[in-house]
Amino acid sequence: MAVQSGVYRGATAAERATERRSRLLEAGLTVWADPSSRTTMTAVCAAAGLSERYFYESFTGLDALLEAVLNEIAVEIEEISRSAADAAGADPEARMRASISAFVELLVADPRKGRVAIVESVAVPELRRRRTELLRHLAHESAVDVRSWIGDSGRSRMADETSGLLFIGGMAELITAWLDGAIEATPEEIVEAACRALFGLYR
């Protein structure tokens, strides 16, 4: 009777499909972040413990899965950075530092996310455009946020936008070098360098 009504082991068909999609996203993140393995549908399905039949239940193909992984990371970065800034109070520098610290803490807690969003996504031709769109979106949001925190101080909106692009582009290169081991720095040193850059761009 439970199966006929669409409920199996206490979960509806829709709930089970959502759970399988989450497993595929998590598996995609794990496989894609591993530079020693090839990111294939087979590898993702194996990591998720699901058949390809269930893969196609949620995604049209591997690129669709990878884009979904990338989008989820971008949303998480934006949300935790903004929440941290809001919790830091009204002081502009405190808000900037809290926002940057939250981002770096995310990468420390789960390095896979930084590697996928900033490093590995460059190697997937079909995702380069999406990566660029997301970086430019974060640059714009950075410009909007900083302007709301410290005012224009005589700067034009174009000056804020170019500063946002410089900051996010610089952060992407800094994080790439850090994750690749090209520079040895503590998370605190990364935050400090990023804060100096952001403060300098908007002063």
Side-chain angles (χ1 to χ4, degrees):
M1 187 71 176
V3 175
Q4 291 176 347
S5 65
V7 177
Y8 179 71
R9 292 185 177 178
T12 66
E15 289 169 341
R16 295 195 301 276
T18 297
E19 189 270 339
R20 287 191 291 267
R21 185 178 190 277
S22 295
R23 284 166 61 184
L24 286 165
L25 286 168
E26 179 67 17
L29 175 62
T30 298
V31 172
W32 196 11
D34 184 357
S36 66
S37 66
R38 288 186 63 228
T39 305
T40 63
M41 186 191 306
T42 300
V44 171
C45 288
L50 294 168
S51 69
E52 290 189 6
R53 166 198 165 194
Y54 288 121
F55 183 98
Y56 285 112
E57 173 187 61
S58 295
F59 303 101
T60 57
L62 182 62
D63 290 342
L65 166 71
L66 298 183
E67 184 171 339
V69 171
L70 194 60
N71 288 339
E72 282 207 343
I73 295 170
V75 169
E76 184 177 9
I77 289 171
E78 190 170 352
E79 288 180 347
I80 65 164
S81 298
R82 185 157 288 151
S83 294
D86 289 343
D91 180 70
E93 292 198 6
R95 291 177 72 89
M96 291 183 201
R97 186 174 295 277
S99 178
I100 293 168
S101 295
F103 168 60
V104 173
E105 286 166 10
L106 173 66
L107 302 189
V108 172
D110 194 343
R112 298 174 305 167
K113 293 175 180 177
R115 177 156 292 282
V116 160
I118 299 171
V119 182
E120 300 299 331
S121 56
V122 177
V124 182
E126 294 79 7
L127 293 181
R128 285 177 194 154
R129 169 184 253 178
R130 183 57 182 154
R131 178 184 184 273
T132 297
E133 289 173 349
L134 289 171
L135 288 177
R136 289 178 181 171
H137 169 74
L138 290 174
H140 171 71
E141 291 302 308
S142 173
V144 170
D145 286 344
V146 174
R147 190 179 186 89
S148 72
W149 299 341
I150 65 177
D152 59 36
S153 300
R155 300 182 320 276
S156 67
R157 292 190 180 276
M158 181 55 67
D160 285 348
E161 291 291 336
T162 55
S163 293
L165 284 166
L166 281 169
F167 174 68
I168 294 298
M171 277 297 288
E173 288 301 316
L174 175 61
I175 296 301
T176 296
W178 188 41
L179 293 176
D180 281 344
I183 59 169
E184 294 184 7
T186 65
E188 293 75 20
E189 288 170 332
I190 295 294
V191 171
E192 188 58 36
C195 287
R196 287 198 307 271
L198 187 58
F199 296 157
L201 283 167
Y202 285 95
R203 277 176 175 156

